[in-house]
Amino acid sequence: SSGIYAEYGRLDKRLSGSAVIDDPFNEVLDLFMRDCVNTWYHDISTDEEFKYEVRRTIQAVVVNLSAMLRDVDFISLSTGQLLTDMTSHLLIFKKTLER
């Protein structure tokens, strides 16, 4: 169990490569672990490995998402198909309200 605490200390908390994003995200992740995992898990087990793996898995998902988002051209996305789709959606919504 003390090995897991040592591993947690070595857990790489860099997620996106930007401290402006990573620091607040890690704070939210700490709160999530405290409020949504630790609250029930301590009743089941004292083994810290599960909590370590939950956090490591969430961080891996965020790292992969961050890497994928780096390749997105947000300017063309927001001015291209997304804008067309949003306009279409709003027109359909407006027609639905008029019925």
Side-chain angles (χ1 to χ4, degrees), residues 8 11-15 25-26 29 52-65:
Y8 179 75
L11 195 60
D12 190 356
K13 294 190 177 182
R14 293 173 298 165
L15 305 171
F25 183 84
N26 276 301
L29 187 52
Y52 171 81
E53 290 299 326
V54 168
R55 185 180 188 101
R56 192 180 64 76
T57 300
I58 292 171
Q59 287 180 295
V61 168
V62 171
V63 166
N64 288 327
L65 239 150

Side-chain angles (χ1 to χ4, degrees), residues 30-57:
D30 287 341
L31 295 173
F32 170 80
M33 293 298 295
R34 183 194 74 195
D35 297 343
C36 298
V37 177
N38 297 351
T39 54
W40 59 268
Y41 186 72
H42 78 275
D43 292 334
I44 297 172
S45 175
T46 58
D47 185 8
E48 297 292 315
E49 187 170 359
F50 173 78
K51 294 190 291 185
Y52 171 81
E53 290 299 326
V54 168
R55 185 180 188 101
R56 192 180 64 76
T57 300

Side-chain angles (χ1 to χ4, degrees), residues 55-88:
R55 185 180 188 101
R56 192 180 64 76
T57 300
I58 292 171
Q59 287 180 295
V61 168
V62 171
V63 166
N64 288 327
L65 239 150
S66 177
M68 289 176 10
L69 289 174
R70 280 189 203 115
D71 296 335
V72 174
D73 181 0
F74 286 101
I75 293 173
S76 66
L77 176 68
S78 62
T79 59
Q81 189 62 38
L82 183 64
L83 187 57
T84 303
D85 289 346
M86 287 176 59
T87 303
S88 174

